[in-house]
Amino acid sequence: MNPMKLPPLNALRVFVAAAEHLSFTRAATSLHLTQGAVSRHVQTLEEFYGTSLFIRQARGLALTAEGEALVKPARDAFQLLHEASEMLRLRQSGLRVRIPPTPAMRWVLPNLPDFQTRYPEYTLHLITQLIHDKPFNRAEYDLAIIGMARPEVSTDMRIECICREKLVPVCSPALLQGAHPLRTPEDLQYHTLLHPWRDQDVWDRWLKLAGVNSLNSESGVTFDALEYALHAAAAGMGVTLAQVSMVNDDIQRGKLVIPFDTVLETEWAYYLMYSHEMAQQPKIRAFRDWLIATLERSEAISRSM
């Protein structure tokens, strides 16, 4: 197949402007060129096609039949090129992050002003999902924050552990008082266990770690996400287990307290996932470095409590 022979694009752009204004003078003004430069560009294009594109008249210009046939496709082509260029520019400035609801609410949103101050050139788009897409959907997002027990080995994806799961019980300060105040783990028998996730035995494991064997770990109320369980706990509805780094703000504001210092470390962790080909993009590096620094500050606050 012979290579496609295209007209000189600068000359074509000048031709479109001249055709719209039907004046070399007005086209020159709109393009910030001299009238002579516009005339030379049009002449170059006419030589390329071997035909006249304008009829020079005393009162201005008129398009020839060949000029009429060329102007609309040329104008449409430049519009398509402009739209594609804008889409590409927006994709480079936009950062699409797929993230579960609770990390979005607890890690990203409270610290979003800091990210925007540090990286005003990027627009963050959060795509919240409870269930991780398999495989990684590159058409929908640039990187993902995923909670899982063991990451799957992938040759084309970079998977980086950003936070190991460390669970502590949290509840409203009101539960430390009243008829059955929470003083020891055994006092949990008088309160509702809030389960932040379905089909997980974290309460059973935490109770055994705390030395409590007399409680039915499956009793209570079950939720689909930790965020819902945290809202219920803050309202005084019971006690939930929570990732330490996700409750710092509520504890500092006095909405939640940690009644017991037993920490359950599980095999679960949160991972940052993105393709190897995206790894060196500035927006990926910026978000990755910012998020890890944010989590490190959160961990430091947790240790100081």
Side-chain angles (χ1 to χ4, degrees):
M1 180 182 294
N2 293 327
M4 183 183 298
K5 188 175 181 181
L6 294 173
L9 294 184
N10 276 341
L12 192 62
R13 181 173 64 95
V14 171
F15 161 73
V16 170
E20 288 176 347
H21 292 288
L22 291 178
S23 165
F24 286 172
T25 302
R26 289 195 294 273
T29 301
S30 68
L31 295 172
H32 305 288
L33 297 173
T34 65
Q35 181 178 347
V38 170
S39 180
R40 286 192 295 274
H41 277 300
V42 171
Q43 184 178 358
T44 297
L45 200 62
E46 289 178 328
E47 290 174 355
F48 176 85
Y49 287 115
T51 186
S52 296
L53 299 173
F54 290 101
I55 301 171
R56 280 74 169 174
Q57 300 174 332
R59 295 185 177 182
L61 300 174
L63 287 167
T64 64
E66 291 79 9
E68 287 281 5
L70 179 62
V71 66
K72 185 179 185 305
R75 184 189 299 118
D76 291 347
F78 278 114
Q79 181 62 31
L80 285 173
L81 184 60
H82 170 74
E83 291 172 359
S85 178
E86 279 298 293
M87 185 177 298
L88 181 59
R89 185 186 65 80
L90 290 173
R91 283 197 63 177
Q92 291 304 107
S93 64
L95 178 58
R96 304 167 300 166
V97 180
R98 178 256 185 260
I99 184 171
T102 305
M105 294 290 293
R106 301 284 162 168
W107 288 343
V108 178
L109 290 183
N111 299 292
L112 190 55
D114 178 65
F115 180 83
Q116 292 172 320
T117 299
R118 293 174 185 271
Y119 304 103
E121 65 271 30
Y122 300 129
T123 301
L124 197 60
H125 304 280
L126 297 182
I127 305 165
T128 55
Q129 288 178 280
L130 283 171
I131 301 174
H132 168 49
D133 290 334
K134 294 182 181 181
F136 185 92
N137 192 340
R138 302 182 192 191
E140 295 295 328
Y141 41 81
D142 302 305
L143 54 80
I145 297 171
I146 300 165
M148 65 179 90
R150 297 175 197 81
E152 298 178 1
V153 177
S154 174
T155 57
D156 59 345
M157 300 300 300
R158 182 169 295 186
I159 305 173
E160 184 175 3
C161 181
I162 57 173
C163 184
R164 307 241 29 124
E165 185 172 67
K166 299 177 182 178
L167 300 177
V168 295
V170 294
C171 64
S172 166
L175 270 62
L176 302 183
Q177 304 172 6
H180 300 288
L182 282 171
R183 294 195 179 99
T184 69
E186 285 78 7
D187 294 326
L188 287 168
Q189 64 184 300
Y190 303 112
H191 299 275
T192 302
L193 299 183
L194 304 175
H195 300 264
W197 308 282
R198 296 183 184 276
D199 303 321
Q200 292 201 23
D201 61 349
V202 288
W203 262 121
D204 182 63
R205 295 167 65 183
W206 187 91
L207 290 169
K208 288 178 180 176
L209 187 63
V212 179
N213 300 307
S214 58
L215 251 169
N216 178 8
S217 63
E218 297 181 359
S219 66
V221 180
T222 301
F223 299 89
D224 286 324
L226 174 58
E227 186 65 24
Y228 307 139
L230 288 172
H231 278 283
M237 295 173 58
V239 185
T240 186
L241 291 172
Q243 170 69 25
V244 177
S245 62
M246 293 184 182
V247 293
N248 289 336
D249 287 348
D250 282 345
I251 291 173
Q252 290 180 326
R253 292 198 300 264
K255 291 179 61 178
L256 294 171
V257 294
I258 301 175
F260 316 115
D261 58 8
T262 300
V263 179
L264 173 64
E265 296 190 26
T266 76
E267 68 283 355
W268 195 268
Y270 286 93
Y271 295 86
L272 195 60
M273 179 182 293
Y274 48 93
S275 66
H276 286 297
E277 65 188 43
M278 296 279 286
Q280 297 306 314
Q281 287 202 10
K283 64 181 181 180
I284 298 294
R285 295 202 308 270
F287 184 81
R288 179 258 182 206
D289 294 345
W290 171 81
L291 180 62
I292 288 177
T294 298
L295 293 177
E296 286 176 348
R297 289 195 299 270
S298 181
E299 287 286 342
I301 292 171
S302 299
R303 289 192 295 270
S304 67
M305 289 181 178

